[in-house]
Amino acid sequence: MEALSNKRRVLEAKPMTFAERIYLPAILKGLSITLKHFFRKSVTVRYPEQKREFSENFRGMHSLKRDEEGRERCTACGLCALSCPAEAITMISAERKPGEEHLYREEKYAAVYEINMLRCIFCGLCEEACPKEAIYLDGDIVKPDYFRKELIYGKDKLVEAPLNQ
Amino acid sequence: MTTTDIIVRLVLITVIFLITLVIAMYSTYAERKVAAFLQDRVGPNRAGPYGILQPLADGAKMFMKEEIIPARSSKFLFIVGPSLAIMTACIGSAVIPWGQTLMIGNYALDLQVTDINVGVLYIFGVVSLGVYGVMIGGWASNNKYSLLGAIRAASQNISYEIAMGLSIIAVLMTTGTLSLREIAAQQHGFWSHGWFTWNVFKQPLAFLIFIVCAFAETNRAPFDLPECETELVGGYHTEYSSMKLGFYLFAEYINMFISSAVMATLFFGGYNFPYMHHLGLSANWVTILGVIALFIKIFCLIFFFMWVRWTLPRFRYDQLMDLGWKALIPLAIANIVITGLVMNFIK
């Protein structure tokens, strides 16, 4: 049969030479390679003490933002929960009472806002869905825990710190 | 033998036993560090500075683990297996000369538990007993993987014992004695009569065969087929847990230490070091330096064991048998013949 290309090569299995058959030269070569690595600097990043720089668009822990007057921006519309593919977000809304205008930006706010960090896949769709620019995934890595219930983060962990403190 | 002698011997045995255990413990740490350095990593570094408390943490972990004895196993043999493995590993140290004679006041203390005149044969006896721990444990587990591991261990150890024994015969022809103390004494210093005194320079081929067989006898890579985890789960210790597993793993490191000590004594001059009698030191100081020299040699050999483990891939089983029966045994026999001819016609 004619060859399709000129790249065809006939390989012949050469019998091993004596040096190859007694293994020893190859073993010594291998040992010298590993010994070179013995004196090489390790590439390990010692994680908790030493951290790599994150990329600019790294998505970490969520934070619920406040506006320029320190009021919570979230209006509990539920779009973030709706957009969440992992169904990690739940919330209970409440109506703003007179006298609470300095706390909440809109008439409706989230009384309870929980994100289950075990379900969250950090895709950032909640951030994209939010019409009020209230949620951003701009935090650090979420720390592990021994108990599942500790990983359902409420408003105490998610809301940004107040402005004047 | 006086009462003092007996007490001194007991103290010596205890000290050697403790040193063996500590070295075996820190061999596990060294193994992980060496593996890490050869792979550009850091290795254990969390328990204590540079991770030096890691062996203690590992030991504590082993004791805390649940002890499982399979319902269908032979319970008695299941417990005897690891006990035998660690016992045979430990008793090999009895005939190794750790140093020359130490003078304490008027008492001459030989740094050797007992100098039996068939020391080399004793070592071989202990080595061949060593396979029973593995075999009994693997068989008693009543598990096909354990059984296969045990069968592999048995056939591998028996095959390589022959080559090991034949390689040592050539050495014994030149030394003319079976006592390890005399063999060490013959390698006095480093250079005499225009040639090296150490046996490794007189019998390099025997040393090569011996070290390859030592790898096989201690079930170390590249001959760690009895416990090869890619094929046999855990090999002969698949069913073992808790400290019984710890005993098996520990026995491997003790074996490595003892076989390094035997190799250092047989081939690298034991406690002898170059210029030992030209330094102008008193006899006791030379003895102490000799003990240190012996341990340095042992540590280098242990490092070599680890270095090889993290370099070479595992042999296939038929390659292992090929190497043992078709290469090492004929080579060892040829070495004996050549040694005999040279001794007859040259000396």
Side-chain angles (χ1 to χ4, degrees), chain B residues 49-121:
Chain B
Y50 299 101
I52 49 166
L53 299 178
Q54 189 66 39
L56 298 178
D58 286 341
K61 185 202 79 175
M62 281 292 186
F63 275 111
M64 310 277 270
K65 289 270 179 180
E66 188 188 352
E67 175 109 34
I68 298 168
I69 297 179
R72 297 211 166 198
S73 65
S74 331
K75 199 176 169 194
F76 175 68
L77 290 180
F78 193 77
I79 295 168
V80 165
S83 326
L84 206 61
I86 201 151
M87 195 191 79
T88 50
C90 285
I91 56 177
S93 63
V95 291
I96 291 165
W98 302 101
Q100 285 168 308
T101 310
L102 204 58
M103 292 300 293
I104 303 168
N106 285 327
Y107 189 81
L109 172 64
D110 286 336
L111 292 178
Q112 186 182 19
V113 174
T114 173
D115 178 27
I116 49 178
N117 55 7
V118 288
V120 177
L121 287 185

Side-chain angles (χ1 to χ4, degrees), chain B residues 76 130 174 194-195 228 269 283 300 343:
Chain B
F76 175 68
T174 54
W195 190 242
C228 99
C300 289
M343 282 172 73

Side-chain angles (χ1 to χ4, degrees), chain B residues 28-277:
Chain B
T28 63
Y29 169 74
E31 172 108 85
R32 293 170 68 179
K33 276 288 187 194
V34 168
F37 290 153
L38 290 178
Q39 297 166 352
D40 299 340
R41 294 186 285 115
V42 183
N45 66 345
R46 294 286 145 179
Y50 299 101
I52 49 166
L53 299 178
Q54 189 66 39
L56 298 178
D58 286 341
K61 185 202 79 175
M62 281 292 186
F63 275 111
M64 310 277 270
K65 289 270 179 180
E66 188 188 352
E67 175 109 34
I68 298 168
I69 297 179
R72 297 211 166 198
S73 65
S74 331
K75 199 176 169 194
F76 175 68
L77 290 180
F78 193 77
I79 295 168
V80 165
S83 326
L84 206 61
I86 201 151
M87 195 191 79
T88 50
C90 285
I91 56 177
S93 63
V95 291
I96 291 165
W98 302 101
Q100 285 168 308
T101 310
L102 204 58
M103 292 300 293
I104 303 168
N106 285 327
Y107 189 81
L109 172 64
D110 286 336
L111 292 178
Q112 186 182 19
V113 174
T114 173
D115 178 27
I116 49 178
N117 55 7
V118 288
V120 177
L121 287 185
Y122 172 84
I123 292 280
F124 273 88
V126 171
V127 164
S128 47
L129 275 179
V131 73
Y132 281 98
V134 173
M135 250 172 78
I136 288 174
W139 184 79
S141 303
N142 202 1
N143 173 320
K144 58 190 168 201
Y145 297 116
S146 304
L147 184 63
L148 280 171
I151 292 170
R152 282 182 173 193
S155 52
Q156 171 181 329
N157 281 24
I158 290 166
S159 312
Y160 277 76
E161 240 161 59
I162 300 169
M164 197 182 214
L166 289 174
S167 77
I168 213 72
I169 284 176
V171 177
L172 296 179
M173 282 162 74
T174 54
T175 58
T177 174
L178 281 165
S179 152
L180 282 170
R181 188 162 197 84
E182 276 178 47
I183 292 175
Q186 282 173 4
Q187 305 176 58
H188 181 81
F190 188 62
W191 184 274
S192 90
H193 301 102
W195 190 242
F196 303 101
T197 55
W198 293 2
N199 280 333
V200 67
F201 299 109
K202 293 177 181 164
Q203 291 284 353
L205 185 60
F207 171 66
L208 188 69
I209 297 169
F210 192 89
I211 198 166
V212 172
C213 294
F215 280 116
E217 291 288 323
T218 51
N219 297 333
R220 295 279 302 179
F223 305 117
D224 55 346
L225 290 115
E227 48 190 303
C228 99
E229 49 290 289
T230 43
E231 296 160 26
L232 295 181
V233 194
Y236 58 87
H237 54 57
T238 305
E239 295 286 353
Y240 280 91
S241 59
S242 184
M243 206 53 207
K244 290 210 285 298
L245 172 67
F247 272 6
Y248 270 129
L249 304 182
F250 218 60
E252 181 186 324
Y253 286 97
I254 296 176
N255 276 329
M256 201 162 84
F257 169 60
I258 299 296
S259 59
S260 297
V262 170
M263 274 188 284
T265 309
L266 283 176
F267 292 100
F268 288 96
Y271 48 75
N272 293 298
F273 55 94
Y275 305 110
M276 58 192 293
H277 279 280

Side-chain angles (χ1 to χ4, degrees), chain A residues 137-152:
Chain A
L137 278 75
D138 54 1
D140 204 355
I141 292 170
V142 175
K143 297 277 182 303
D145 204 288
Y146 288 108
F147 302 102
R148 281 167 178 271
K149 65 178 195 309
E150 301 295 327
L151 282 159
I152 298 173

Side-chain angles (χ1 to χ4, degrees), chain A residues 23-50:
Chain A
Y23 296 137
L24 288 178
I27 288 174
L28 292 178
K29 204 173 148 195
L31 287 174
S32 71
I33 289 172
T34 45
L35 193 66
K36 256 181 250 159
H37 281 269
F38 191 86
F39 298 107
R40 206 172 277 183
K41 212 170 149 276
S42 78
V43 293
T44 309
V45 178
R46 290 166 172 77
Y47 166 62
E49 295 95 39
Q50 194 185 348

Side-chain angles (χ1 to χ4, degrees), chain B residues 286-328:
Chain B
V286 170
T287 305
I288 291 166
L289 284 178
V291 174
I292 295 169
L294 176 62
F295 273 92
I296 290 171
K297 287 168 192 173
I298 291 172
F299 292 147
C300 289
L301 284 166
I302 289 178
F303 172 75
F304 184 71
F305 267 83
M306 292 171 181
W307 182 17
V308 167
R309 174 169 176 187
W310 297 102
T311 302
L312 299 183
R314 188 182 292 130
F315 270 56
R316 214 170 53 210
Y317 206 74
D318 61 312
Q319 293 171 333
L320 173 90
M321 284 297 161
D322 263 10
L323 182 69
W325 288 98
K326 292 192 194 158
L328 294 183

